[in-house]
Amino acid sequence: MICFDLINVQKISEIKNAHNHDISNFKHFLDKPNKRDLILSISPNDNNVRLWNLNTLEILLDIKDVNKEGSLYSACFLFKNNKLYIVTTNCSYLSYPEPIKIFNNRGYKIKEVKDSNDNTYFIDVYYDTKNDKSYIITGNNKNIKSFDSKEYSVYNEYCDINRFDHSSIIIYDKDIKQVKMIESCTDGKIRIWDFHTAEIIKRIKVSDIFIYGMALWDDNYLFVGCKDNQIKLLELNSGKKVAEILGHTNEVVTCKKVHLPKYGDCLITQGLYEKEIKLWVSKKLKI
């Protein structure tokens, strides 16, 4: 596990053997009361979730053997009632997938939530500041679901006509009248949902190939990483593709927007199995 200084573009720390196998996912949480950055690392093959203090590189939690079988594809932080929890998923092709699991900040499992008999690929959390409520959001090979984190009951199911694997979501709640959920999928489409009513607002056809990670640039522009090794820029209002960015030799699985004092708004991307990440400066994006 390597930590980079993006401003000076250099490696500042490294944890060797952070996991016994490949690390597939990271999640960050800013622990303001304790003035520390927390990192959640996930390895699907060793089936472990580890919590790190990024400031000291100290491991705080090591939750082993999260699932009895299957791959640990994703995990995330859940913060509610001034307490921090960890939520995990499971994907198994051998039998029925195991439930979503919730662990407290000491690594003890406190709850299991059944998410039908479909494999769950990713999990995320949306905090509704207006109503002071948190929602757990999962994506599988059938639909996307949101759960009320208070009762852990299903809040909504977001179902379209066809079944495809869902890759990632972005919640956009700057609109006063409507909370929107932007979803990427392996059928080459972007879908925009009304989060609270589960109605589709818009479908955007990007291509006939897989779409993975996304980055919402502003109110109207969305970057998506695609299986054809390209980053595509979409205009959400019109649904048109306005640019394509080349620069990867493999499928672009990660897209993130960051703000750096030196460069302003930037885009971070990574290709599958590539040994480097790319930082795109906004002046070169020509939006």
Side-chain angles (χ1 to χ4, degrees), residues 58 84 107 136 141-142 218 225 246 278 287:
E58 174 190 5
L84 191 63
I136 299 170
N141 57 351
K142 181 179 180 181
D218 56 26
L246 302 176
K278 295 185 182 295
I287 296 178

Side-chain angles (χ1 to χ4, degrees), residues 256-271:
K256 295 289 183 182
K257 179 184 176 182
V258 295
H259 183 85
L260 302 177
K262 185 176 180 179
Y263 302 113
D265 290 336
C266 301
L267 188 71
I268 293 177
T269 61
Q270 185 178 25

Side-chain angles (χ1 to χ4, degrees), residues 85-275:
Y85 301 89
I86 295 170
V87 191
T88 65
T89 62
N90 178 51
C91 179
S92 173
Y93 297 101
L94 302 177
S95 61
Y96 292 123
E98 296 178 35
I100 296 167
K101 297 179 175 67
I102 294 96
F103 298 86
N104 64 15
N105 59 5
R106 293 190 296 171
Y108 294 108
K109 184 174 65 178
I110 62 168
K111 184 73 176 179
E112 291 188 347
V113 182
K114 185 65 177 176
D115 185 15
S116 73
N117 291 327
D118 294 287
N119 291 304
T120 303
Y121 299 116
F122 76 83
I123 194 161
D124 212 333
V125 169
Y126 164 56
Y127 175 61
D128 184 351
T129 56
K130 297 175 184 177
N131 300 308
D132 191 25
K133 292 183 66 175
S134 293
Y135 298 91
I136 299 170
I137 304 169
T138 66
N140 55 41
N141 57 351
K142 181 179 180 181
N143 56 27
I144 292 175
K145 287 182 181 179
S146 57
F147 296 82
D148 185 328
S149 67
K150 184 178 181 180
E151 302 294 336
Y152 297 108
S153 58
V154 174
Y155 177 69
N156 266 325
E157 293 190 41
Y158 308 85
C159 305
D160 203 358
I161 300 170
N162 298 317
R163 292 175 54 142
F164 291 96
D165 297 339
H166 303 281
S167 303
S168 60
I169 59 102
I170 296 173
I171 300 294
Y172 180 80
D173 58 2
K174 292 183 180 180
D175 191 330
I176 299 175
K177 298 180 180 179
Q178 192 176 49
V179 177
K180 298 176 182 178
M181 182 176 72
I182 306 170
E183 167 225 339
S184 67
C185 192
T186 58
D187 66 348
K189 290 187 178 70
I190 296 291
R191 292 171 179 82
I192 303 177
W193 303 80
D194 184 310
F195 180 77
H196 291 299
T197 66
E199 296 177 352
I200 289 184
I201 300 171
K202 183 179 292 187
R203 297 180 183 88
I204 300 175
K205 179 69 174 180
V206 180
S207 62
D208 294 321
I209 57 176
F210 288 21
I211 303 172
Y212 297 109
M214 303 180 292
L216 188 62
W217 189 256
D218 56 26
D219 294 346
N220 193 35
Y221 287 100
L222 179 76
F223 286 99
V224 296
C226 300
K227 192 174 182 178
D228 62 359
N229 308 351
Q230 293 185 356
I231 307 156
K232 302 183 192 299
L233 177 61
L234 308 176
E235 186 180 38
L236 292 176
N237 287 338
S238 66
K240 294 181 179 179
K241 179 177 62 179
V242 297
E244 292 180 338
I245 301 175
L246 302 176
H248 285 278
T249 58
N250 216 330
E251 305 168 22
V252 184
V253 293
T254 300
C255 284
K256 295 289 183 182
K257 179 184 176 182
V258 295
H259 183 85
L260 302 177
K262 185 176 180 179
Y263 302 113
D265 290 336
C266 301
L267 188 71
I268 293 177
T269 61
Q270 185 178 25
L272 184 66
Y273 302 128
E274 291 182 357
K275 296 182 180 180

Side-chain angles (χ1 to χ4, degrees), residues 70-84:
S71 296
L72 177 64
Y73 273 16
S74 184
C76 67
F77 290 106
L78 171 64
F79 187 74
K80 67 172 188 175
N81 301 326
N82 294 317
K83 293 181 180 180
L84 191 63

